Amino acid sequence: MEKALVSEGKCIYCSNTFLQKAMPKHLAAHLAAAEKNDCGKPAKTYCHIEVEAGEMFLHLLVKGAAKMKVIDDFLRVIWLDCCGHLSAFRHKNLKPSMNSLVQDIFVPKIKLLHDYDFGTTTTVTLIARSQYKLALNENIILLSRNEPLKLLCAVCKKNAATTLCAVCRWDSYAFFCDSCAPMHETACNDYADYAGMPVVNSPRMGECGYDGGTIDKARDGCFKM
């Protein structure tokens, strides 16, 4: 990258925008208030889970009695699934399976890895923040997600990048706007053949056949100038 990317997201509760590092504490305050308001109501255990992949992040609220497969399915539809590859959770001391209960695995401060595709693997980190007693019914709620990162074109350096070269990006910053992409196409035969891929708001960007998620479409793709 030519300069550091700023990662920020909106809070589902107040719609205000916060930097990546500030979001866990901010959401914890909302969740603690919600737990206090739900005191005395029929409540279930919910786990606040942060998912990280560099500057990209998700904050999830997951029912404790749900199975880990619920998280795996959600990561697939919002961030990962391109060709139905296999996936798994892993931890150096635990043996989380898709049938494990979320509340048994995500005790506070536990960190897990999730691998998608054991050929061209995309790995994300899941961090257990806190557990809450809440009067909710949903299996999983998206509390926050990073807004599309401000990736600028490598050529003009002023327009939003809409495509990338999956081959050249390993050696250089290979993101291009619609106007400048044809210049790269003349210099790279692979770009027109198979390497030209869309910019999406996902750590799977540029891998295999991934071209974006199937939910939360408004925050996928490239940023708006």
Side-chain angles (χ1 to χ4, degrees):
M1 299 296 169
E2 296 188 337
K3 64 178 181 178
L5 294 170
V6 176
S7 179
E8 57 187 15
K10 290 182 180 178
C11 168
I12 190 176
Y13 295 106
C14 64
S15 297
N16 290 323
T17 300
F18 296 89
L19 292 173
Q20 181 179 15
K21 63 181 180 181
M23 187 60 77
K25 184 177 181 179
H26 175 77
L27 287 171
H30 280 294
L31 290 166
E35 183 178 52
K36 184 177 180 179
N37 290 337
D38 287 350
C39 184
K41 300 177 184 177
K44 304 177 183 70
T45 298
Y46 275 82
C47 301
H48 174 199
I49 301 168
E50 181 178 4
V51 189
E52 291 184 338
E55 295 90 356
M56 296 181 181
F57 67 84
L58 307 170
H59 281 272
L60 308 177
L61 188 63
V62 188
K63 185 186 292 183
K67 294 182 178 181
M68 293 288 286
K69 184 69 164 62
V70 168
I71 299 176
D72 177 71
D73 288 343
F74 190 83
L75 293 178
R76 285 171 175 269
V77 297
I78 196 169
W79 255 9
L80 301 173
D81 201 16
C82 58
C83 305
H85 297 292
L86 295 176
S87 58
F89 296 96
R90 57 187 170 96
H91 184 273
K92 61 182 180 180
N93 297 322
L94 302 174
K95 292 184 178 180
S97 74
M98 294 297 174
N99 290 320
S100 300
L101 297 185
V102 171
Q103 63 194 16
D104 294 340
I105 301 298
F106 283 100
V107 295
K109 297 184 180 180
I110 282 287
K111 288 187 179 182
L112 268 69
L113 297 178
H114 178 274
D115 297 321
Y116 174 82
D117 182 3
F118 299 113
T120 306
T121 306
T122 297
T123 300
V124 302
T125 302
L126 297 96
I127 305 166
R129 290 300 177 185
S130 294
Q131 294 188 358
Y132 300 89
K133 294 292 186 180
L134 299 168
L136 298 171
N137 293 310
E138 296 91 334
N139 277 335
I140 190 163
I141 298 170
L142 178 62
L143 300 176
S144 185
R145 177 188 187 180
N146 68 282
E147 296 297 308
L149 301 174
K150 292 179 171 58
L151 297 166
L152 295 176
C153 176
V155 178
C156 68
K157 297 179 172 46
K158 63 179 183 180
N159 294 328
T162 57
T163 62
L164 64 97
C165 181
V167 172
C168 296
R169 74 189 181 106
W170 297 112
D171 298 318
S172 61
Y173 180 78
F175 291 81
F176 308 100
C177 68
D178 289 338
S179 297
C180 296
M183 295 186 222
H184 184 71
E185 185 173 349
T186 61
C188 175
N189 294 330
D190 294 327
Y191 182 82
D193 187 18
Y194 69 92
M197 299 185 70
V199 168
V200 290
N201 190 12
S202 160
R204 189 70 176 161
M205 175 172 59
E207 300 289 358
C208 194
Y210 189 77
D211 60 4
T214 57
I215 64 170
D216 194 46
K217 301 287 283 185
R219 283 182 288 186
D220 210 343
C222 59
F223 80 100
K224 303 298 186 292
M225 296 294 290

